[in-house]
Amino acid sequence: MANLLDFVQILLNSTNQIVVTIDDHSLVKKVTEAIKLLKGVSSVKAYRLEDDVLNSPSYKAAMRDIKDGNVTTYASSDEMFKDLMES
């Protein structure tokens, strides 16, 4: 089952939670049902995250820029600020 999960993060608090992120939507119901079968599991909630930033036009444009290689790298933040001030 571990190969079905891209990312598992454990959050510790008074009730102990495990947040499982699944990219393949078709697996969500199966994984939810499997987790419910584990001894000691009191609650399982599945929901889809909606992130306004990830859906914004500026984020999508930035991802296209990265994909197309339209990026600039600097050796240090000082170098970056110097370049920005000269522009």
Side-chain angles (χ1 to χ4, degrees), residues 8-75:
V8 174
Q9 178 184 10
I10 298 175
L11 299 174
L12 299 175
N13 64 20
S14 62
T15 59
N16 295 321
Q17 296 180 353
I18 298 175
V19 177
V20 180
T21 303
I22 304 170
D23 291 330
D24 185 346
H25 183 68
S26 67
L27 297 175
V28 172
K29 185 175 181 179
K30 292 176 185 176
V31 171
T32 300
E33 293 301 320
I35 292 171
K36 286 180 183 177
L37 296 173
L38 296 173
K39 182 179 179 180
V41 173
S42 60
S43 173
V44 178
K45 298 176 186 175
Y47 57 93
R48 174 176 238 136
L49 294 177
E50 293 296 330
D51 191 331
D52 293 337
V53 173
L54 298 179
N55 291 320
S56 69
S58 58
Y59 179 83
K60 290 177 182 179
M63 292 300 103
R64 278 193 305 275
D65 282 343
I66 292 169
K67 182 180 175 186
D68 296 341
N70 299 329
V71 296
T72 304
T73 57
Y74 297 96

